[in-house]
Amino acid sequence: MAGSILIVDDDPVQRRLLQAAVTRFGYEPLLADGGEAALATLDSAAGSAISAVVLDLAMPGIDGVGVLEAMRERDMRTPVIVQTAQGGIDTVVTAMRNGAFDFVVKPASPERLRTAIANALKVEALGEDARRSRKKAGAVSFKDIVTRSPAMDKVIRLAQKAAGSDIPILIEGESGVGKELVARAIQGSGERRAKPFVTVNCGAIPENLVESILFGHEKGSFTGATEKHTGKFVEAHGGTLFLDEIGDLPLDVQVKLLRAVQDGEVDPVGGKSTLKVDIRLISATHRDLLQQVKDGKFREDLFYRLNVYPIVVPPLRERRADIAHLVRHFMARVTAGRGGAPRINAISERALAMLEAYDWPGNIRQLENAVFRASVLCEGDVLTEEEFPQIRAQVEGSVDLGGDESAPAQTAATPQVVEPPVALRPSGMLEALDERGNVRSLAAVELEMIKLAIEHYRGQMSEVARRLGIGRSTLYRKLKEHGIDPEDGRPNGSAAS
């Protein structure tokens, strides 16, 4: 699958090396020398053609994590492969928590990079198909909210009461908890269910275009306004307008929004008259709006207009009982997106225990992405902890993931929980004596120790070198001497072992 790959690195040598590699793989490389340039490219017209991003983490200005955070705030779903010379677990955890698809440790082999890009494009392609199929699915009801949690039962009861009226609603909760799904269920259960449901991500709109996008503009009202634009309020006339991340609106736009909410009127940019609109307004935010008011970043009068009927959606870590149900729901959705019989029909008990032990800072959206990625890339028919390497690295060793060997068998209709016959981590011991009872040579013990360290730290070479107490250059020299492939820790060909 051909496509454009955005390469982001402040080191010109690294950029050229990656450019050559990506070109050999059959993709078109786009280059950015830092975080600012990367975000500008993603925001531009060329951004829509970018299939994946290879992103260096350590850069001056906006670093890699800063780019990931900005992409998440702007709801950019382009998969990102982070690249770092500091492959410690903390670095990887930070990147993955901020939405990275995969990571490679410098210097990454061409095959490792090719595999990471191919996997990212494969998951993205199927993800786009799944998103399109969900858009065609029609109205959403409260039955579409997957939950067994008492905390979510309260949310649903509040939302059901609100669905029968046109009262303004403010949905609060962390990013990824499902605020838009609750809003759609409210709309799909009310009298406006057959009318438009228009969504606006206020945090993703360039500040100079917010007023135009919300309220519309007349042709020629500003540079670039070559045609008349109706605006989201007018598009939603008769239906529901969902303003996501309302806390990110500039103060000057908040004034006009207050008038629209109070009087049902909007003023298009460059227009000579106001337009009457009839909408149901639902707002959402991950911010503490009351604190925003105290800090002077959000108008107090607008806050009280929006916060007539507040609904707080709890984070996933406070509703862990939902995780198993959500995992099976997402697995079934992958199958439905493929339009065929389920290839993945089960998840191991240990894998499920691991997912339930994780705190999910990205909430349901992060869980969905993790399950989708694991389901697409899994080569068998059972998801195990091996399919969740980033989650495993953070949970492993902190909780007991022991499973029940009498777990039910797999079925195609409903994904079941089964126990795989593999251990989560090898015990890892070195033998000091050989089979004759003699002390083994230092060279033999050294080789085994290096192989064990590579396996134990899953190929994170900076961490391997640090734990062995040697420099990276020394580590790679020893790998070469022993004929070990840094990617998998195994001897190459006929090299001595």
Side-chain angles (χ1 to χ4, degrees):
M1 173 183 172
S4 298
I5 308 296
L6 177 61
I7 297 167
V8 188
D9 201 308
D10 62 311
D11 185 341
V13 175
Q14 283 294 322
R15 285 200 305 274
R16 285 196 296 270
L17 289 172
L18 288 171
Q19 180 182 15
V22 165
T23 302
R24 281 199 309 275
F25 301 158
Y27 309 113
E28 178 187 352
L30 297 176
L31 305 180
D33 61 3
E36 293 88 346
L39 292 174
T41 302
L42 289 165
D43 283 332
S44 69
S48 60
I50 294 173
S51 301
V53 180
V54 180
L55 174 68
D56 188 30
L57 283 184
M59 297 184 293
I62 300 179
D63 62 7
V65 172
V67 172
L68 288 167
E69 290 174 344
M71 291 179 67
R72 184 176 61 185
E73 289 173 359
R74 300 176 195 186
D75 199 28
M76 294 178 176
R77 299 176 181 267
T78 309
V80 178
I81 300 159
V82 298
Q83 185 175 230
T84 177
Q86 301 168 342
I89 190 63
D90 291 342
T91 304
V92 175
V93 168
T94 301
M96 293 302 167
R97 282 189 170 180
N98 283 281
F101 172 83
D102 200 353
F103 72 95
V104 294
V105 179
K106 295 180 181 179
S109 72
E111 278 309 308
R112 174 70 180 91
L113 186 62
R114 184 201 294 268
T115 300
I117 293 175
N119 286 343
L121 297 185
K122 182 179 179 182
V123 170
E124 177 62 14
L126 289 173
E128 188 60 35
D129 290 342
R131 286 191 288 272
R132 280 197 294 267
S133 66
R134 288 202 294 273
K135 287 181 180 178
K136 296 177 182 177
V140 174
S141 71
F142 290 106
K143 293 181 180 179
D144 295 303
I145 299 178
V146 179
T147 182
R148 300 291 189 277
S149 164
M152 280 302 293
D153 286 345
K154 179 182 178 181
V155 169
I156 292 174
R157 286 197 302 271
L158 286 171
Q160 286 173 330
K161 291 179 180 178
S165 71
D166 276 347
I167 189 171
I169 299 171
L170 177 64
I171 304 176
E172 300 175 275
E174 297 177 7
S175 295
V177 294
K179 297 188 290 293
E180 182 175 344
L181 181 61
V182 173
R184 287 186 178 276
I186 292 172
Q187 186 260 356
S189 303
E191 294 182 356
R192 297 178 186 251
R193 66 176 67 88
K195 301 295 183 179
F197 181 87
V198 178
T199 66
V200 182
N201 187 338
C202 300
I205 308 174
E207 189 168 329
N208 61 327
L209 295 179
V210 173
E211 190 174 348
S212 169
I213 288 174
L214 287 180
F215 309 119
H217 65 253
E218 295 294 328
K219 180 179 179 180
S221 57
F222 56 86
T223 303
T226 57
E227 294 181 0
K228 180 179 178 178
H229 176 63
T230 56
K232 298 297 183 180
F233 269 82
V234 176
E235 284 181 33
H237 180 66
T240 303
L241 179 63
F242 177 62
L243 296 180
D244 198 8
E245 301 307 346
I246 189 79
D248 293 338
L249 277 181
L251 283 168
D252 58 334
V253 179
Q254 293 177 25
V255 177
K256 297 193 74 173
L257 177 59
L258 178 62
R259 182 184 178 190
V261 175
Q262 286 182 152
D263 305 329
E265 297 180 346
V266 296
D267 293 314
V269 178
K272 297 180 180 178
S273 60
T274 61
L275 299 175
K276 294 290 290 185
V277 290
D278 171 28
I279 62 165
R280 166 68 181 277
L281 183 64
I282 303 178
S283 307
T285 181
H286 74 282
R287 301 185 185 279
D288 183 344
L289 280 193
L290 189 56
Q291 186 60 48
Q292 294 271 98
V293 170
K294 294 177 181 178
D295 295 340
K297 297 178 181 179
F298 201 85
R299 291 182 61 94
E300 184 175 13
D301 46 6
L302 178 59
F303 170 74
Y304 288 114
R305 280 286 178 179
L306 299 177
N307 195 39
V308 178
Y309 194 94
I311 297 175
V312 180
V313 183
L316 188 54
R317 63 182 174 275
E318 294 179 8
R319 39 185 288 214
R320 294 182 192 270
D322 286 344
I323 291 178
H325 303 287
L326 288 165
V327 167
R328 295 187 180 97
H329 173 71
F330 296 143
M331 289 170 64
R333 181 179 286 177
V334 174
T335 298
R338 285 173 168 163
R343 181 175 66 82
I344 307 296
N345 54 26
I347 179 170
S348 76
E349 188 171 298
R350 286 166 64 82
L352 190 58
M354 179 182 71
L355 299 183
E356 290 176 332
Y358 185 53
D359 277 344
W360 299 105
N363 292 293
I364 297 174
R365 184 183 299 138
Q366 184 188 7
L367 175 63
E368 179 179 12
N369 291 340
V371 173
F372 188 87
R373 179 186 191 275
S375 299
V376 171
L377 300 181
C378 179
E379 296 181 356
D381 58 2
V382 178
L383 293 183
T384 71
E385 61 270 28
E386 298 292 337
E387 274 73 62
F388 301 92
Q390 292 82 27
I391 307 302
R392 176 182 177 181
Q394 298 171 65
V395 174
E396 191 175 72
S398 63
V399 293
D400 180 11
L401 301 179
D404 177 9
E405 294 187 6
S406 63
Q410 309 167 17
T411 64
T414 304
Q416 299 292 319
V417 176
V418 295
E419 175 65 9
V422 295
L424 193 62
R425 176 189 286 179
S427 58
M429 295 182 65
L430 296 180
E431 292 290 340
L433 304 177
D434 61 19
E435 62 273 15
R436 297 181 179 179
N438 297 319
V439 174
R440 299 172 65 199
S441 68
L442 286 176
V445 175
E446 179 185 72
L447 170 59
E448 193 169 338
M449 176 62 80
I450 290 174
K451 291 168 65 177
L452 174 63
I454 292 174
E455 181 180 1
H456 186 73
Y457 294 106
R458 287 173 288 280
Q460 298 171 26
M461 306 309 282
S462 293
E463 186 71 5
V464 170
R466 187 171 74 84
R467 295 293 181 177
L468 291 177
I470 58 177
R472 277 174 60 92
S473 59
T474 302
L475 174 60
Y476 278 98
R477 176 175 56 78
K478 291 182 178 294
L479 291 174
K480 186 175 180 181
E481 290 174 357
H482 290 295
I484 296 177
D485 181 355
E487 287 300 309
D488 59 15
R490 291 189 296 270
N492 284 324
S494 60
S497 61

